[in-house]
Amino acid sequence: MSNRTNPVMKIDNLAVQVVGDPTGRQVLENISFEISSGETLCVVGESGSGKSVTSLAIMGLLPAGSLKPSRGRILVDGEDILAASPARLRELRATRMAMIFQEPMTALNPVETVGEQIDEVLRIHSKLSKTARRQKVLAMLESVHMPDVERIYNSYPHQLSGGQRQRVVISIALILEPRILIADEPTTALDVTTQKQILLLIRELQKKHNTAVLFITHDFGVVAEIADRIVVMNRGHLVEVGTREDILARPREAYTRMLVSSVPSLIPQKREAPVTDIVLEVQSLSKNYSRKRLFGSGGSVAAAQNVNLTLRKGEIVGIVGESGSGKSTVARCIVRLQDPTSGAVLVKGEDIARVSGPQLRPKRQRVQIVFQDPYRSLNPRMRVGDSIIEGLVNFGTKREAALKKARELLGLVGLSDDSMQRYPHQFSGGQRQRICIARALALDPDILVADEAVSALDVSVQAQVLKLLGEIRDRTGIAVLFITHDLRVAAQICDTILVMQHGSIVEAGPAAEVLTSPRREYTRTLIDAAPGRGWDFQNFGPLISGAA
């Protein structure tokens, strides 16, 4: 039970403003909350709500020259962070407070071993000998359940899996046993089983050291699993604060009710699979990657093995599985961003798996893809209208006709005509993904491949994009191959689900059948690992007694 009388951290009337803005624009205003030892406080809200700005302000990491605190206090064990000198802040970041970021590869140095990077914290902030530091690092790696800690100690970040890299970041954050741990979307990019492992690990270490955890996330399934209390933010303001049950079961504010009810249900909607023409048939598709070594061959790795699938007009087929299961490899082979090692990819009966060069170019019109990160998919120097018409113009459409079609497509995805003249950075993440969908539809493809197209979006934006894809499917009859690690999303949009493990399809069938009556143990493991599966978010309450 946390001690609410003596909070580890207290934020009192915090405001953060844009530096140099003549209007004095505030990105945070009147933010006040506290967190106690052993407590997990989740901060939720849409992109732009101020969640990450709040965490950066606590750590003293606001970008200099862009943002600065303009009012309020941030007290850690009674000491005001905002009044601390740079030297004192550096000391506090390791000894009193630490942070885990969303993407471990950007938080780790790619040219230093894991051991060196954890050791650096001890070398700077302790007087331990080199031998003692090494023993402490190895013990920390064992405490985060790393296999073969000596090997991990001497490994570089790229030699580890995503889950292992996140464990290294956690080790760096907790090696000096700070009083408060800030976790900023640490599981967003992880599959459900790895996510479950990381959440259990953070909880285990929290109990061991009585650490206060400030957990920033847009995943309400995670919130339902781990939160003691919840802070809801919107556009730089605090909307409401309450216990997990208060916020998830009895939200007071309309904004909170909208957020919670936007969480997709794990219970699939019953839909009849379309009995229409087959537009895509994948037969015995395999993809092997060769291991490169300095001297000689290192053999090969099978990323996809003997994959068979059928996609009909107007059907949405989902492929789910853990990271490394082969989902994206299959998608990239189908759209011919990678060459399959063997097998056939039949688009309306024509095999495009062996077509290359000039013969492949016209086939690309028929299969288009939407990627996970819309910002990386769009040229930041091109106006949106030019991005959408690029494919049309390349395939011979007159510019005037292409622009007319681009306007129609923007209307189809719910954006106005004036979007044509704007640049990608002037849109939100959800709007950018709508632009990517419009661009993919410009060539009237038979098949749309969505590779984790909504996994990085807020729940409210995610719900909008899923609804949009369903409407486009109903209106145009396009067939959609939907790649995801989020079973909630798959349950809401997919007619058919294929489950992949180690490059092979291990189970396939109607979505309602696979997600409610799985035949394979691996599928059951995936479903059991889905966070918040005991909550009915649409109806604001637990599905079963005691789920809360």
Side-chain angles (χ1 to χ4, degrees), residues 34 36 47 52 55 60 65 81 97 130 161 165 213 249 269 283 320 327 330 347 423 453 476 501 508 528:
E34 59 188 42
S36 303
S47 296
S52 292
S55 68
I81 297 298
M97 52 193 187
K130 185 174 182 179
S161 69
R165 286 194 290 264
V213 175
Q269 300 176 6
Q283 299 174 347
V320 303
K327 307 185 302 293
V330 169
V347 178
Y423 291 92
T476 66
Q501 181 187 27
D528 289 342

Side-chain angles (χ1 to χ4, degrees), residues 389-447:
I389 70 170
E390 186 178 17
L392 288 167
V393 173
N394 287 343
F395 279 99
T397 304
K398 298 293 184 183
R399 182 176 175 82
E400 187 176 331
L403 287 170
K404 180 181 178 182
K405 184 163 189 177
R407 292 188 189 95
E408 293 171 355
L409 288 167
L410 284 172
L412 181 67
V413 300
L415 294 174
S416 60
D417 281 4
D418 62 7
S419 302
M420 299 273 287
Q421 300 304 315
R422 295 159 64 189
Y423 291 92
H425 73 271
Q426 296 175 296
F427 295 87
S428 68
Q431 288 172 326
R432 285 196 289 265
Q433 197 62 294
R434 288 169 183 263
I435 292 166
C436 290
I437 293 171
R439 188 178 63 172
L441 295 174
L443 292 171
D444 294 322
D446 299 304
I447 302 156

Side-chain angles (χ1 to χ4, degrees), residues 352-406:
I352 66 169
R354 296 287 162 260
V355 180
S356 61
Q359 288 76 33
L360 177 60
R361 188 170 181 267
K363 313 299 182 191
R364 293 196 182 279
Q365 290 180 267
R366 299 162 69 179
V367 186
Q368 293 288 298
I369 187 167
V370 178
F371 295 101
Q372 177 174 348
D373 187 345
Y375 198 69
R376 292 173 61 188
S377 300
L378 296 168
N379 187 332
R381 297 182 178 182
M382 287 180 69
R383 297 180 192 274
V384 162
D386 291 328
S387 286
I388 295 174
I389 70 170
E390 186 178 17
L392 288 167
V393 173
N394 287 343
F395 279 99
T397 304
K398 298 293 184 183
R399 182 176 175 82
E400 187 176 331
L403 287 170
K404 180 181 178 182
K405 184 163 189 177

Side-chain angles (χ1 to χ4, degrees), residues 89-163:
L89 267 178
R90 283 193 294 273
E91 183 180 345
L92 289 171
R93 284 186 197 124
T95 58
R96 298 279 188 88
M97 52 193 187
M99 189 165 181
I100 305 170
F101 294 95
Q102 178 174 343
E103 178 46 66
M105 272 304 274
T106 60
L108 296 171
N109 189 331
V111 297
E112 283 189 355
T113 65
V114 162
E116 289 172 330
Q117 296 186 60
I118 304 174
D119 178 77
E120 182 181 15
V121 181
L122 295 173
R123 182 165 46 81
I124 293 172
H125 296 284
S126 78
K127 296 181 180 180
L128 295 174
S129 67
K130 185 174 182 179
T131 301
R133 294 199 309 268
R134 178 183 173 85
Q135 292 306 313
K136 191 172 179 69
V137 172
L138 291 173
M140 188 71 224
L141 289 173
E142 285 186 354
S143 74
V144 298
H145 307 301
M146 282 290 205
D148 191 359
V149 293
E150 288 281 355
R151 178 183 65 81
I152 297 292
Y153 184 96
N154 294 302
S155 296
Y156 291 90
H158 73 272
Q159 295 174 308
L160 307 180
S161 69

Side-chain angles (χ1 to χ4, degrees), residues 127-314:
K127 296 181 180 180
L128 295 174
S129 67
K130 185 174 182 179
T131 301
R133 294 199 309 268
R134 178 183 173 85
Q135 292 306 313
K136 191 172 179 69
V137 172
L138 291 173
M140 188 71 224
L141 289 173
E142 285 186 354
S143 74
V144 298
H145 307 301
M146 282 290 205
D148 191 359
V149 293
E150 288 281 355
R151 178 183 65 81
I152 297 292
Y153 184 96
N154 294 302
S155 296
Y156 291 90
H158 73 272
Q159 295 174 308
L160 307 180
S161 69
Q164 288 175 330
R165 286 194 290 264
Q166 199 60 289
R167 289 168 189 265
V168 171
V169 173
I170 292 171
S171 297
I172 294 171
L174 294 180
I175 190 74
L176 289 177
E177 300 182 16
R179 297 272 284 144
I180 181 169
L181 175 67
I182 301 172
D184 190 358
E185 301 276 13
T187 62
T188 296
L190 303 177
D191 57 66
V192 287
T193 50
T194 307
Q195 176 179 254
K196 183 177 182 180
Q197 294 166 8
I198 296 297
L199 293 176
L200 288 172
L201 174 62
I202 292 175
R203 176 67 86 183
E204 176 187 328
L205 296 173
Q206 177 187 32
K207 288 182 178 179
K208 181 179 180 181
H209 303 293
N210 203 28
T211 310
V213 175
L214 183 69
F215 201 101
I216 297 168
T217 183
H218 67 252
D219 189 331
F220 276 81
V222 170
V223 172
E225 292 286 335
I226 70 169
D228 295 309
R229 290 188 303 128
I230 300 170
V231 172
V232 183
M233 295 182 67
N234 182 31
R235 297 183 180 180
H237 292 81
L238 193 148
V239 177
E240 62 178 304
V241 182
T243 66
R244 174 178 56 178
E245 288 71 24
D246 288 337
I247 300 300
L248 297 185
R250 298 178 294 275
R252 299 189 310 271
E253 303 296 328
Y255 178 75
T256 308
R257 289 195 293 274
M258 181 277 293
L259 275 185
V260 175
S261 63
S262 296
V263 180
S265 172
L266 255 177
I267 301 172
Q269 300 176 6
K270 290 193 174 182
R271 291 181 293 266
E272 294 293 328
V275 184
T276 50
D277 295 338
I278 294 174
V279 293
L280 172 68
E281 191 171 4
V282 176
Q283 299 174 347
S284 304
L285 178 73
S286 295
K287 175 62 180 179
N288 299 328
Y289 293 103
S290 59
R291 282 198 178 106
K292 301 289 186 181
R293 288 187 178 174
L294 189 59
F295 301 105
S297 170
S300 63
V301 176
Q305 305 175 67
N306 197 35
V307 172
N308 295 278
L309 68 89
T310 299
L311 181 63
R312 296 179 179 275
K313 182 177 181 180

